[in-house]
Amino acid sequence: MGIGVAGFPEGHPETPNRLIEMDHLKAKMDAGADYICTQLFFDNRDFYDFASGARLPASPFPIIAGIMPVTSLKGMQRMAELALGARFPARLIKSLVRAKDDEYIERVGIHWRRNR
């Protein structure tokens, strides 16, 4: 059994200062956590920036990317709302808007994750 804590690649909605956010993350790790699992994100650059920043306070803990598959527009919008907002890259939005049905949306989502 292990203890995981939340990480926020796009920033925590209640903590606009990323340095303070990293202090909070370090405090969670110091309290006994074993790994970090991130909130969902759609731009891998956000994850890479977060992971490198999370390691600044000398954090050797694994960081697991919280990935939510895109299977429908409605589901994607709902998950972003539950996550208190998520940024949707313009290229992803353009591809999804052109989608004709949920099967095509799912293929766009799979392609997006594989190629980012």
Side-chain angles (χ1 to χ4, degrees), residues 5-109:
V5 296
F8 299 87
E10 295 179 351
H12 190 281
E14 296 178 10
T15 310
N17 184 319
R18 295 303 293 253
L19 295 175
I20 293 172
E21 183 178 339
M22 287 297 146
D23 289 342
H24 291 303
L25 183 61
K26 183 170 181 342
K28 290 190 271 186
M29 301 311 291
D30 291 344
D34 298 310
Y35 65 93
I36 301 165
C37 186
T38 72
Q39 180 67 277
L40 70 95
F41 58 91
F42 294 101
D43 190 334
N44 287 348
R45 290 175 295 189
D46 290 327
F47 176 78
Y48 297 136
D49 288 346
F50 171 80
S52 65
R55 298 201 191 287
L56 286 177
S59 171
F61 302 101
I63 301 175
I64 300 168
I67 297 174
M68 177 62 63
V70 176
T71 56
S72 72
L73 280 177
K74 188 175 181 178
M76 187 174 97
Q77 292 166 339
R78 180 68 179 137
M79 288 310 298
E81 288 170 11
L82 291 172
L84 298 176
R87 285 193 310 266
F88 297 106
R91 289 180 56 207
L92 176 59
I93 292 171
K94 285 179 186 177
S95 296
L96 293 171
V97 167
R98 289 192 303 255
K100 297 173 182 70
D101 56 37
D102 282 349
E103 182 180 330
Y104 183 79
I105 288 172
E106 188 173 327
R107 287 197 321 250
V108 168

